[in-house]
């Protein structure tokens, strides 16, 4: 990979990782509801899970969509259903007080598995692999995955910290509930490009 292509990949990874999407909205809600430390497995699951997804998709899973176009429709349906479920979980999250551990953030494995039904993750992976890995080799796919993991983790950490900082304002249960319902609505809104592509 040329230095010019690598620079473009880093910029693409930064912009797509830092802009709002299902992962970032869920991390902001997690930071607000559970704090930074309890959200670390969620963050690592996203970063490592997405890197693994890039390698596996590059290694051949993308051809499934080419061979069986209906499989993409099934993925879309699963994405909508699962994101709707997550939106409901966010909207109805119980406030955490200092004495209880009620509720829990997403685990590492849940966050890693979520990448497979995250429409934004699929769009990012397919674009990155087709544009920034022209050699279509396992080494090229691995390089794209490493770049994304390196750039992605600081970007998603910022969203979690933002959520944690918002928790200072969300000490009132009604404000927290309003925030959670807003995050849930934004998560559902993030499905718009999937349901009604341009």
């Amino acid at each position: 990979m040329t230095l010019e292509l690598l620079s473009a990949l880093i910029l693409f990874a930064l912009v797509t990782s830092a802009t709002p999407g299902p992962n970032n909205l869920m991390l902001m809600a997690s930071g607000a509801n559970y704090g930074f430390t309890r959200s670390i497995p969620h963050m690592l699951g996203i970063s490592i899970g997405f890197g693994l997804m890039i390698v596996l998709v590059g290694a051949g899973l993308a051809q499934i969509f080419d061979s069986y176009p209906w499989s993409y429709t099934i993925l879309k349906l699963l994405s909508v259903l699962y994101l709707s479920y997550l939106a409901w979980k966010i909207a109805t999250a119980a406030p955490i007080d200092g004495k209880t551990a009620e509720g829990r953030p997403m685990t590492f494995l849940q966050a890693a598995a979520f990448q497979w039904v995250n429409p934004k993750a699929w769009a990012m992976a397919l674009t990155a692999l087709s544009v920034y890995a022209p050699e279509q080799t396992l080494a090229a796919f691995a390089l794209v995955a490493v770049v994304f993991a390196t750039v992605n983790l600081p970007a998603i950490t910022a969203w979690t910290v933002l959520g944690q900082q918002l928790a200072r304002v969300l000490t009132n249960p009604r404000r927290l509930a309003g925030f959670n319902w807003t995050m849930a609505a934004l998560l559902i809104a993030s499905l718009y490009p999937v349901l009604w592509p341009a």
Side-chain angles (χ1 to χ4, degrees):
M1 181 179 289
T2 66
L3 185 58
E4 185 178 73
L5 193 59
L6 180 61
S7 300
L9 171 59
I10 291 169
L11 182 60
F12 176 76
L14 178 63
V15 170
T16 55
S17 296
T19 52
N23 281 324
N24 292 336
L25 294 172
M26 289 190 306
L27 282 173
M28 188 162 69
S30 185
N33 286 282
Y34 308 111
F36 182 82
T37 303
R38 291 184 68 196
S39 300
I40 289 174
H42 187 169
M43 292 186 297
L44 292 174
I46 289 170
S47 195
I48 294 169
F50 182 65
L52 179 61
M53 178 185 177
I54 287 174
V55 173
L56 293 176
V57 168
L61 289 179
Q63 284 74 23
I64 292 173
F65 293 130
D66 294 335
S67 301
Y68 306 100
W70 53 265
S71 63
Y72 186 69
T73 302
I74 290 173
L75 175 68
K76 231 191 244 196
L77 177 63
L78 290 173
S79 298
V80 168
L81 291 174
Y82 192 61
L83 279 172
S84 298
Y85 165 75
L86 290 174
W88 177 252
K89 295 284 282 179
I90 289 171
T92 59
I96 304 295
D97 63 30
K99 300 171 190 163
T100 68
E102 207 177 309
R104 62 182 232 269
M106 224 182 224
T107 66
F108 174 87
L109 290 177
Q110 288 171 330
F114 172 69
Q115 302 319 298
W116 293 93
V117 294
N118 179 352
K120 184 180 176 186
W122 274 99
M124 290 165 58
L126 293 172
T127 301
L129 290 169
S130 60
V131 175
Y132 301 105
E135 311 86 29
Q136 296 295 296
T137 63
L138 193 55
F141 304 147
L143 179 59
V144 170
V146 167
V147 167
F148 258 97
T150 304
V151 172
N152 177 268
L153 193 55
I156 63 176
T157 297
W159 282 88
T160 310
V161 169
L162 176 61
Q164 182 185 30
Q165 295 306 310
L166 282 172
R168 295 176 183 184
V169 179
L170 303 173
T171 53
N172 177 303
R174 286 184 63 182
R175 276 185 277 188
L176 181 60
F179 171 79
N180 287 341
W181 277 96
T182 301
M183 289 296 99
L186 289 172
L187 188 57
I188 293 295
S190 74
L191 290 170
Y192 181 82
V194 176
L195 298 173
W196 295 279

